[in-house]
Amino acid sequence: MRRKIPSPVMLQAFELSARTLSFTQAADSLNLTQSAISHQIQALEDFLGVRLFERVRKRLQLTSAGEILLLRLTPALDALESAIIETVSTEPAASVLRLGVVPAVATQWLIPRLPRFQREHPRIALTLVTRLPFNFQNNSLDAAINLGNTRWPGARSDWLMDEHMVVVCTPEMAATTLRTPDDLPRVPMLQMTFRPHAWHDWLTASGLPAEGTTGGMKFESFSLVLRAAMAGLGAAVVPRLLVEDELENGRLVSPFGPVVRSPTSYYLVYPPANVTLPALQAFRGWLLQQTGAPGG
C-alpha cells in the first residue's frame, strides 16, 4: 500500500523554515531561493490540506498544525538520516563522526581545511550537521563546534579559538570613501540580524561614537552579509576567521583597525561518554592542531 508521504524536499523546506521561522535561512541552508522554499511550503500545505504558517505583524509563525508537524517530523528526519548513514557506512574499518557545525564556520573555515583531515584520516567519514540548535540527543550528534561564552551543562568542551571582529569592505570603497573610521557615517553599515549589536560593540570597543548604528540593509545569514559586502553595498563588521580567504585574495579588505575581540569563543563540545570514541579522538587532536589550542 502506497504511503501518504510528501516529497523529502517539501519536508526539509518545512522543517528548516519552522525551526528558524525564516524562509530566507531555510533557503540559504538548502542552497535554494526564497521563492523555491515558498513554493515547497505551499505544495506541502496543498498536499496536507492545512495551513502550516501564518504571518503576524510581518513575522512568520507556526499554526497549531505546523507545531504538531514539526514536533513529529524532526525526530523522524533524524531517524531517517541515521538509518541512511548506517546503511552507507558498511565497511567494517570505516567510522562515522556526526559533527554539528555553525553554518558559516562550516563553509568559511572548516570545509576548506577538511582535505587535510581526509588525507590524515581516510577511514573516518564526517557527517556535518548545521541544523540549529545542536542537541546531542535529538540530533544524535557525536560532537559540535559551537560559539559561546560559557560551559555547556552536561557536556565537555575544549576551547578552540577566540573570535575577533574586523571591519571589511571592497578595495574600491576603501580607496575612495572609507579610508578612516571618521568616514563610516558616509557608507551603509551592513547589519547581521543574528548579531544586531556587532557595529555598536565594535565602535564602543574602538572608543568611537556608537549612536545610529542600526540602520542599513539587514541580512539573516552570514553568507548574505558576505555577498553584500563583496558587491560593494556597504561595510560590515564580521569575524576575521570567516573572511580569511576573501582578505587574502583581495576581494575584501580591512581598511582600518582595530581588531576587536568578541565576548564569545569557539569550542568543541561533546558528551562525556563520547570521549573514548576513536573518531572523535582523532578529529579532536587534528582540530586542536588547526587552531593552535592547548592539547593539539
Side-chain angles (χ1 to χ4, degrees):
M1 181 177 178
R2 183 176 179 180
R3 295 180 182 272
K4 186 179 179 180
I5 299 177
S7 75
V9 178
M10 291 184 196
L11 296 177
Q12 288 187 78
F14 166 75
E15 201 238 2
L16 282 169
S17 299
R19 279 178 165 271
T20 61
L21 292 179
S22 168
F23 288 172
T24 301
Q25 290 191 46
D28 192 47
S29 297
L30 293 175
N31 290 322
L32 298 173
T33 64
Q34 184 176 347
S35 176
I37 292 293
S38 298
H39 285 309
Q40 292 297 328
I41 297 299
Q42 182 63 57
L44 180 59
E45 290 179 332
D46 292 343
F47 182 92
L48 299 176
V50 296
R51 290 285 304 279
L52 300 173
F53 293 97
E54 59 184 356
R55 288 197 177 273
V56 178
R57 296 177 183 174
K58 297 183 179 181
R59 293 193 175 187
L60 198 64
Q61 291 188 3
L62 286 169
T63 64
S64 57
E67 291 177 349
I68 292 173
L69 180 58
L70 178 63
L71 181 64
R72 302 296 187 188
L73 181 61
T74 297
L77 289 178
D78 289 337
L80 177 61
E81 187 177 31
S82 296
I84 291 173
I85 292 171
E86 292 175 7
T87 301
V88 300
S89 303
T90 55
E91 295 189 27
S95 57
V96 176
L97 181 66
R98 285 177 51 86
L99 181 71
V101 193
V102 176
V105 175
T107 57
Q108 295 294 119
W109 189 85
L110 179 61
I111 289 177
R113 290 167 170 77
L114 284 183
R116 307 175 198 169
F117 179 77
Q118 286 192 318
R119 288 194 296 268
E120 296 175 21
H121 304 280
R123 304 304 302 151
I124 297 178
L126 277 178
T127 296
L128 300 186
V129 178
T130 59
R131 187 185 306 135
L132 297 170
F134 298 136
N135 187 308
F136 292 121
Q137 294 181 339
N138 294 343
N139 290 350
S140 301
L141 298 176
D142 298 311
I145 297 176
N146 214 343
L147 183 67
N149 51 19
T150 60
R151 299 296 180 183
W152 281 263
R156 293 186 58 172
S157 60
D158 296 316
W159 175 85
L160 297 175
M161 51 191 164
D162 291 329
E163 184 179 66
H164 297 88
M165 308 296 287
V166 296
V167 173
V168 297
C169 66
T170 62
E172 294 77 14
M173 184 176 291
T176 56
T177 56
L178 191 58
R179 297 180 179 180
T180 71
D182 292 335
D183 296 325
L184 280 171
R186 305 175 190 172
V187 301
M189 294 184 179
L190 304 178
Q191 307 288 332
M192 299 182 287
T193 58
F194 51 95
R195 294 194 184 201
H197 305 296
W199 272 109
H200 180 278
D201 292 347
W202 185 89
L203 290 166
T204 300
S206 304
L208 299 169
E211 293 77 18
T213 59
T214 58
M217 298 179 67
K218 296 179 172 60
F219 303 89
E220 291 187 345
S221 72
F222 177 80
S223 63
L224 294 178
V225 174
L226 183 62
R227 293 294 178 185
M230 290 191 295
L233 292 176
V237 171
V238 296
R240 183 179 177 86
L241 84 157
L242 299 185
V243 292
E244 289 177 343
D245 288 346
E246 288 73 17
L247 292 174
E248 185 175 346
N249 61 32
R251 298 187 70 181
L252 290 174
V253 296
S254 183
F256 44 73
V259 176
V260 174
R261 179 178 172 181
S262 167
T264 56
S265 300
Y266 292 92
Y267 293 84
L268 177 65
V269 187
Y270 46 90
N274 290 355
V275 172
T276 58
L277 291 177
L280 178 55
Q281 290 179 339
F283 181 76
R284 176 183 178 274
W286 175 84
L287 188 62
L288 293 177
Q289 287 181 345
Q290 296 301 305
T291 63

